């Protein structure tokens, strides 16, 4: 049997995957897409096990100032782009996993306060000479760094929506959080790029639904970035060739998402585990228990339970996603569930 690279199960670190001979599906072209083709602040939402943290860590590895990651990307598509070296390791990067901060706080206010303190501690080590009106205010410090040093930042936020999952019915806490994000990132000259990722899209809260600093790319509407949502059919074919798997059978099981322009997307979790173990299996639904879904199915809005049974049997059920409030507690119709 020929030597095969390992598959990176449960590993998010881009550097570790590259350095330790793991197989990596090349999504590096997304780097130039983000910086040159879209807005300053971008939100990407997709289900669990779709490579959200991997993408965030890829961006950190590429942009981070003070690192030397040229050799890390040399064999990937980004290295062929004319802007590759112009942006490589040129930016201050603030990388935040919101869930980490939320788990260390008892409220949204406390989380925001702790996060600012932690980021400021890092920033002061690099820019201790910058004069600020309020050294304890993250936004004031970033604005003064830009005005005095002309240094821009890239902000990368993972698990952006953990607030909505931990405080599902607390509208006040959720609005405080959205207000902070808006104040931190909307129309700020110190931002070169902001990348946020999570499960839920921006919540539709009256005036808060107009957080127009975001370019939002969701599973419902990924737009021109659909090929970065998961594995494309060509990427899966290459994996099948390398791991001697039957592409027709893989397609039958895992070709779960179809977007505009005929793009088919496969769940990375399912495909990677299938290649790893050499057999077909229900790998994605092992990441969540049925009990988490039972409460929604048993709401039985307008015959929901019957429609779920119909879908399990292979039938299609139309869903209007346009009115969904984008949280885990606001359900008014069968379409919401």
């Amino acid at each position: 049997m020929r030597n095969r690279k390992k598959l990176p199960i449960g590993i998010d670190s881009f550097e570790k995957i590259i350095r330790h001979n793991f197989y990596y599906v090349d999504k590096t072209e997304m780097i130039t897409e983000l910086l040159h083709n879209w807005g300053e602040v971008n939100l990407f939402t997709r289900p669990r096990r779709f490579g959200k943290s991997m993408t965030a860590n890829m961006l950190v590895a590429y942009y981070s100032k003070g690192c030397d990651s040229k050799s890390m990307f040399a064999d990937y598509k980004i290295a062929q782009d004319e802007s590759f070296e112009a942006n490589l390791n040129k930016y201050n990067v603030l990388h935040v996993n919101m869930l980490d901060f939320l788990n260390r706080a008892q409220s949204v206010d406390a989380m925001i306060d702790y996060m600012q303190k932690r980021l400021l501690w890092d920033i002061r080590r690099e820019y201790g000479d910058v004069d600020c009106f309020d050294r304890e205010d993250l936004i004031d410090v970033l604005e003064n760094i830009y005005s005095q040093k002309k240094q821009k930042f890239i902000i990368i936020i993972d698990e952006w929506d953990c607030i909505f999952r931990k405080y599902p019915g607390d509208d006040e806490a959720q609005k405080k959080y959205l207000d902070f994000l808006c104040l931190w990132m909307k129309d700020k000259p110190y931002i070169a790029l902001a990348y946020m990722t999570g499960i839920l899209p921006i919540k539709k809260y009256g005036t808060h639904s107009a957080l127009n600093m975001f370019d939002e790319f969701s599973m419902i509407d990924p737009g021109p970035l659909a090929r970065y949502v998961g594995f494309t059919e060509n990427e899966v074919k290459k994996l099948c060739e390398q791991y001697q798997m039957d592409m027709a059978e893989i397609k039958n099981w895992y070709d779960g998402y179809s977007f505009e322009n005929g793009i088919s997307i496969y769940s990375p979790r399912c495909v990677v585990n299938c290649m790893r173990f050499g057999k077909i299996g229900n790998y994605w639904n092992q990441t969540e228990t049925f009990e988490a879904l039972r409460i929604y199915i048993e709401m039985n809005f307008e015959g929901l339970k019957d429609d779920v049974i119909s879908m399990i049997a292979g039938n299609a059920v139309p869903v209007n996603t346009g009115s969904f409030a984008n949280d885990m507690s606001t359900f008014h119709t069968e379409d919401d569930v």
Side-chain angles (χ1 to χ4, degrees):
M1 178 181 291
R2 60 181 173 175
N3 183 36
R4 301 188 299 185
K5 288 188 176 184
K6 295 175 286 185
L7 287 158
I9 301 297
I11 299 174
D12 291 330
S13 171
F14 185 79
E15 181 176 6
K16 187 173 182 180
I17 287 172
I18 302 306
R19 301 294 190 203
H20 295 278
N21 201 39
F22 287 100
Y23 188 94
Y24 171 66
V25 175
D26 189 351
K27 297 290 186 179
T28 57
E29 287 180 312
M30 186 178 183
I31 294 170
T32 52
E33 287 271 7
L34 282 175
L35 197 60
H36 299 302
N37 296 337
W38 308 110
E40 288 182 348
V41 183
N42 303 273
L43 174 64
F44 290 80
T45 54
R46 59 185 88 161
R48 290 183 176 89
R49 306 304 182 188
F50 265 73
K52 298 185 294 296
S53 296
M54 170 66 73
T55 302
N57 284 317
M58 175 188 73
L59 296 174
V60 172
Y62 175 79
Y63 285 119
S64 289
K65 194 175 181 180
C67 299
D68 183 7
S69 54
K70 183 176 181 179
S71 62
M72 200 183 303
F73 289 91
D75 295 331
Y76 297 106
K77 295 174 184 176
I78 182 64
Q80 307 306 314
D81 191 274
E82 60 183 14
S83 67
F84 172 58
E85 293 195 38
N87 296 301
L88 181 69
N89 305 140
K90 295 294 195 300
Y91 291 91
N92 303 292
V93 177
L94 302 179
H95 185 199
V96 176
N97 186 314
M98 284 294 184
L99 186 59
D100 291 344
F101 290 106
L102 185 61
N103 286 339
R104 300 187 62 162
Q106 300 302 314
S107 67
V108 171
D109 286 327
M111 183 211 73
I112 292 172
D113 183 61
Y114 176 70
M115 184 189 72
Q116 289 193 80
K117 288 178 179 178
R118 185 62 180 82
L119 292 177
L120 285 168
W121 184 77
D122 285 332
I123 292 168
R124 288 192 195 103
R125 291 188 296 172
E126 183 71 22
Y127 296 103
D129 60 330
V130 172
D131 186 33
C132 301
F133 173 75
D134 187 352
R135 291 184 175 275
E136 304 303 317
D137 184 271
L138 176 63
I139 296 168
D140 185 58
V141 170
L142 294 176
E143 286 177 340
N144 279 282
I145 290 172
Y146 177 73
S147 65
Q148 296 173 40
K149 302 282 189 177
K150 301 305 176 186
Q151 294 288 308
K152 288 196 172 190
F153 288 78
I154 287 179
I155 298 172
I156 297 175
I157 298 176
D158 205 359
E159 301 282 0
W160 94 274
D161 56 344
C162 60
I163 300 292
F164 303 94
R165 290 181 273 130
K166 185 167 183 176
Y167 301 106
D170 192 338
D171 286 358
E172 183 179 355
Q174 294 172 13
K175 288 181 181 180
K176 282 182 181 179
Y177 175 60
L178 290 176
D179 284 340
F180 171 74
L181 291 180
C182 189
L183 187 62
W184 187 17
M185 290 186 283
K186 186 173 183 179
D187 300 326
K188 298 301 182 184
Y190 54 72
I191 290 184
L193 172 72
Y195 173 91
M196 298 181 11
T197 187
I199 298 170
L200 295 172
I202 289 290
K203 183 167 181 176
K204 299 177 177 70
Y205 264 136
T207 58
H208 284 73
S209 64
L211 291 175
N212 55 11
M213 77 278 202
F214 292 99
D215 276 342
E216 193 168 348
F217 304 92
S218 67
M219 288 294 287
I220 295 170
D221 186 15
L225 299 181
R227 68 184 186 276
Y228 301 114
V229 168
F231 290 170
T232 65
E233 193 153 294
N234 285 335
E235 290 165 347
V236 176
K237 284 179 181 178
K238 290 179 181 177
L239 283 170
C240 287
E241 291 171 3
Q242 180 166 0
Y243 291 89
Q244 296 89 50
M245 297 295 291
D246 184 349
M247 179 61 194
E249 190 175 11
I250 299 297
K251 181 176 177 63
N252 186 50
W253 272 73
Y254 303 133
D255 182 12
Y257 302 88
S258 298
F259 297 125
E260 294 178 2
N261 302 320
I263 296 176
S264 291
I265 292 295
Y266 294 65
S267 161
R269 172 80 178 189
C270 292
V271 173
V272 166
N273 272 322
C274 180
M275 304 300 158
R276 180 192 183 199
F277 295 114
K279 64 178 183 179
I280 299 290
N282 288 317
Y283 298 112
W284 187 85
N285 65 13
Q286 292 174 6
T287 67
E288 187 62 273
T289 66
F290 173 71
E291 294 304 316
L293 303 176
R294 183 195 296 274
I295 59 173
Y296 303 116
I297 295 173
E298 289 183 346
M299 290 178 179
N300 202 24
F301 282 109
E302 303 164 2
L304 169 67
K305 191 180 299 183
D306 293 335
D307 278 346
V308 170
I309 293 171
S310 178
M311 292 166 68
I312 291 172
N315 299 316
V317 175
V319 179
N320 175 15
T321 60
S323 63
F324 180 47
N326 297 343
D327 63 27
M328 305 299 286
S329 62
T330 307
F331 300 99
H332 300 298
T333 67
E334 176 185 13
D335 287 339
D336 289 343
V337 179

